[in-house]
Amino acid sequence: MEGATYGKSDVKTNELCIKGGKKVLIVPARIVITLMFLACVLFIWHNSVESAVESSSRSGRVTEAINEVLASVGGSTVTEHFIRKLAHFSEYGLEGILTVLLFMVYCLKPQEESGGAERSECASRSAPCLKDMVYCLKPQKRFRAILLTGLFTATIDESIQFFSAGRSPGVGDVCIDMAGFVCGVLLMQVVCYIARIWRAGGTAGLSGADR
């Protein structure tokens, strides 16, 4: 959040000002990211609702298509089991990315005011500029909350399979799900870190040019 800045807040439109005079509409951003997150989770759970026959048929078609592509470039074939586990990993990797974005747009609040009194609401309606925003959860708590979100999704995902014909839950699948989820979270952390370095470099360059 550091390095994004200048401009005035707009109470009516709930905008966050960022460098260069551009603005981010926080409410639309929350709506879009929430819908994307829910769509991802519902897609994952829908796959678990399918019976073993339906799931295997779909996985078989995907495996066949991938093997055709690999054969055309002289690569080795892959098994349906590998594709199924890769699908688990990829789905939860995407969820990890969306979960981080979800916390980014919801867990913000203004920093302490000049009078010393801190506003209690996250992402208050006054929506000050990003440079004046901080996370309402400490890093450790935020990271735990993100991981618990992934674990909750994975646990429900596997539990659904109790009621799907020919399928059964597995602890191994939960581990694969969480591995994908954590990779998605770490990827976002790397992206944010690079963005902070890039912004800091841009700010330093502008400061040097002004001298």
Side-chain angles (χ1 to χ4, degrees), residues 9 109-121 124-128 131-134:
S9 61
K109 71 174 183 180
Q111 296 188 58
E112 292 186 0
E113 298 176 338
S114 56
E118 184 176 334
R119 299 178 189 176
S120 60
E121 296 182 358
S124 84
R125 295 177 184 175
S126 59
K131 70 172 182 178
D132 300 321
M133 303 292 283
V134 293

Side-chain angles (χ1 to χ4, degrees), residues 47 53 105 113 122 128 180 191:
N47 290 340
V53 174
V105 295
E113 298 176 338
C122 292
V191 170

Side-chain angles (χ1 to χ4, degrees), residues 29-159:
R30 285 175 175 171
I31 293 173
V32 170
I33 292 173
T34 300
L35 291 177
M36 290 175 64
F37 173 80
L38 291 176
C40 179
V41 172
L42 291 176
F43 175 76
I44 291 172
W45 288 350
H46 174 266
N47 290 340
S48 291
V49 172
E50 293 180 336
S51 66
V53 174
E54 293 173 325
S55 179
S56 180
S57 175
R58 183 159 53 85
S59 299
R61 291 195 299 271
V62 174
T63 303
E64 184 179 349
I66 291 175
N67 282 333
E68 287 179 1
V69 174
L70 292 174
S72 66
V73 297
S76 302
T77 58
V78 295
T79 64
E80 181 180 332
H81 178 78
F82 173 80
I83 293 300
R84 292 174 70 88
K85 301 311 174 186
L86 180 62
H88 273 268
F89 186 89
S90 302
E91 289 170 349
Y92 279 87
L94 176 59
E95 188 196 346
I97 292 172
L98 292 173
T99 302
V100 173
L101 290 174
L102 200 65
F103 274 77
M104 286 176 68
V105 295
Y106 276 103
C107 282
L108 289 172
K109 71 174 183 180
Q111 296 188 58
E112 292 186 0
E113 298 176 338
S114 56
E118 184 176 334
R119 299 178 189 176
S120 60
E121 296 182 358
C122 292
S124 84
R125 295 177 184 175
S126 59
C129 295
L130 286 177
K131 70 172 182 178
D132 300 321
M133 303 292 283
V134 293
Y135 279 112
C136 60
L137 290 176
K138 293 182 179 180
Q140 298 88 346
K141 290 183 178 181
R142 189 167 70 245
F143 189 67
R144 284 200 296 268
I146 289 173
L147 289 183
L148 285 174
T149 300
L151 183 60
F152 173 78
T153 305
T155 302
I156 296 297
D157 183 24
E158 292 302 310
S159 299

Side-chain angles (χ1 to χ4, degrees), residues 15-29:
E15 296 173 333
L16 295 181
C17 311
I18 63 175
K19 185 177 179 180
K22 296 180 181 179
K23 294 182 178 180
V24 177
L25 299 178
I26 192 65
V27 172

Side-chain angles (χ1 to χ4, degrees), residues 1-4 19 130 192 194-204:
M1 293 319 208
E2 306 148 352
K19 185 177 179 180
L130 286 177
C192 291
I194 293 174
R196 283 197 298 270
I197 293 177
W198 180 78
R199 287 173 183 166
T203 303

